[in-house]
Amino acid sequence: MKKRIFSGIQPSGALHIGNYLGAIRQWVQTQDKSDSLFCVVDLHAITVPQDPKELHQNIRELAAIYFAAGIDPDKSTVFVQSQVPEHSELAWILNCFIPMGWMQRMTQFKDKSAKKKQFSIGLFDYPALMAADILLYQTDAVPVGEDQKQHVELTRDIAEMINSKYGDVFKIPEPVIPKTGARIMGLDDPTVKMAKSAEKPSRSIYIMDEPDVIKKKIARATTDSETEICFDQNRPGVNNLLTIYQLCSGKTQKDIEAHFQGKQYSDLKRELTDVVVDKLTPIREEATKILKDKKALDDMLLKGAEKARGLAAPTMNKVKAAIGLG
Ligand code: TYM
């Protein structure tokens, strides 16, 4: 039997090249040999305030980028989380079993809440919804970037806890984190990760950025005062640019270092711009085309949601029967 894969991205802002290199790229590679579900996790996005119009637009744009980047609706199930109510239903049930202390340990919540005067219960509860997303489909593997590892590990703990009380209810999922590209850093500050937030547009290369914007952002990217161009964790700026170059060009680290030997940062930045533009332009153009036909996109997503509901139903029945509901 094919492996079941589940992953998702929040439509909480513009998708960036870190999301592509850390997550979507893996999804495209895995869809031929697995039974995959890829979700636009809009219920996660509303854990922080959203403008309704912008959110609506972001949901559609994210779905269009999934398809444009190579997710094939004939091979994978692509859908919007809020169109499958079983996600919220299972999240509530899990909430009633997860010890408070497990959630309090989540570093992403600590980081996000520390920056806010006020935050919702949803922000705190976010990992329970993520666990529901994964467990609902008896998922084997969850391809994500480094920052989501702790949430997938929590999901495993939740599944093991429920299974130990009620028998074999859930499959125990594995996180799948790429060796390279799992943590793409900010262009302006390579000590923080690239992020969707619109506050610092110079930090991120967005998938929908036009070539001249990409060129400017890379030209301004932070490097250092050294001269040699090589992969070195202790030189985060150059290392990050080289990592993006490696993943977009498909070349090996050795070949890249040989290629840039004796060259300058300005050469690296120029060539990096070329490979990034080559990689993103077809995706941006195809996504723009998909977004123009509103009905076709809506229909594809509705079809995906119907399929997902069919796959979710047996798990919901199993969970309810196990705990005595229904
Ligand atoms: P989100 O929307 O923050 O990010 C989507 C995916 O992109 C990866 N990612 C990165 N990878 C490399 N470098 C970066 N700078 C970078 N930033 C983000 C993330 O690791 C993720 O794989 N909680 C999840 C969404 C989610 C989910 C799920 C994922 C909800 N339910 C179930 C998997 C399974 C999130 O906020 O991802």
Side-chain angles (χ1 to χ4, degrees), residues 6-12 15-24 26-27 39-41 44 62 66 81 87 108 112 126-127 129-134 139 141-149 151-152 155 176 178 181-186 192-196:
F6 182 96
S7 201
I9 299 182
Q10 296 189 70
S12 50
L15 201 77
H16 56 75
I17 199 166
N19 301 126
Y20 175 74
L21 298 174
I24 298 182
Q26 297 194 76
W27 304 357
C39 186
V40 174
V41 291
H44 278 99
L62 182 52
Y66 282 8
Q81 188 185 33
H87 287 251
Q108 199 162 69
K112 284 191 180 170
Y126 176 115
L129 180 59
M130 181 160 162
D133 298 340
I134 297 167
T139 300
V142 187
V144 282
E146 178 68 40
D147 62 342
Q148 296 302 315
K149 192 167 171 221
H151 291 156
V152 182
T155 303
V176 182
R183 196 172 166 80
I184 299 293
M185 309 310 282
V192 297
K193 66 174 185 172
M194 196 176 272
K196 287 191 213 103

Side-chain angles (χ1 to χ4, degrees), residues 91-111:
W92 175 257
I93 294 176
L94 297 181
N95 271 332
C96 300
F97 289 86
I98 304 169
M100 194 77 174
W102 289 12
M103 300 284 274
Q104 281 165 331
R105 286 205 299 267
M106 294 297 108
T107 52
Q108 199 162 69
F109 168 72
K110 287 191 215 166
D111 289 350

Side-chain angles (χ1 to χ4, degrees), residues 47-49 109-121 123 199:
T47 56
V48 295
F109 168 72
K110 287 191 215 166
D111 289 350
K112 284 191 180 170
S113 58
K115 290 179 204 141
K116 292 182 167 48
K117 270 202 206 111
Q118 231 187 351
F119 49 84
S120 68
I121 294 173
L123 187 70
E199 280 153 40

Side-chain angles (χ1 to χ4, degrees), residues 187-229:
L187 295 182
D188 62 332
D189 180 356
T191 63
V192 297
K193 66 174 185 172
M194 196 176 272
K196 287 191 213 103
S197 141
E199 280 153 40
K200 290 232 164 80
S202 60
R203 174 155 302 167
S204 307
I205 300 171
Y206 300 117
I207 308 296
M208 299 304 273
D209 275 347
E210 299 280 342
D212 58 328
V213 175
I214 296 175
K215 188 175 171 192
K216 269 190 209 136
K217 286 182 178 178
I218 293 178
R220 286 192 203 130
T222 303
T223 50
D224 52 38
S225 54
E226 309 269 332
T227 50
E228 204 190 345
I229 299 178

